[in-house]
Amino acid sequence: SPYVVSLTLVDLPGIVKVPLPTQPRDIPQQIRQMILQFVTKPNSIILAITAANTDVANSDALKLAKEVDPHGERTLGVLTKLDIMDTGTDCVDVLSGRVIPLRRGYIGVINRSHQDTISGKPIRKAVEDEAKFFQGHPAYRSLASKMGTLHLSKTLNLILLNHIRDTLPTIRQ
């Protein structure tokens, strides 16, 4: 994209606990090893993605991130599916870091639905709808400027730029 700094995103599979009949019996171990190959690298940013409509205390992503990044220097929490939480519930406490604190915090996002993808809803329209959701939701309105795909993108770019700045040799004039 011409709008972001160049970085490589590796979309790793979710952690499997019970193999399907068509999968190898050791698929949980295979996937865990694959994930560890990437998240143990000190220059990796870990996006610990968890669905907001599940109990964050049971997040496999947060558990694994804590194992390889105990001080949370490389872990950013991402909560998805805020728009499909049960009526009357929200995850403001998680987003505010009062449940499981993360040094880099949490960002809530709303993804395009399967139907949106099938119908060809443009990403820009989805981003606009996402912003409207956060701005219009009573629980998330005060956090709206720190939520959404655009904020996630900006945050990742800032992390990357800071990493580049911190690792470049000092230039003397």
Side-chain angles (χ1 to χ4, degrees), residues 55-59 62-63 66 77 93-103 105-106:
D55 184 357
V56 73
N58 292 323
S59 169
L62 287 171
K63 181 179 183 242
K66 189 84 164 161
D93 286 343
V94 175
L95 291 166
S96 300
R98 292 189 291 264
V99 177
I100 298 176
L102 289 178
R103 188 172 180 175
Y106 293 85

Side-chain angles (χ1 to χ4, degrees), residues 20 22 25 31 38 44 54 58 62 65 75-77 85 91 93 99 103 105 114 117 141 144 149 155 164 166-167 171:
L20 297 174
T22 57
R25 294 182 67 123
I31 290 176
F38 291 96
S44 291
T54 62
N58 292 323
L62 287 171
T75 303
L76 177 63
M85 293 183 69
C91 59
D93 286 343
V99 177
R103 188 172 180 175
H114 182 65
T117 305
R141 189 175 297 133
T149 305
T155 300
I164 291 169
D166 293 345
T167 57
I171 301 173

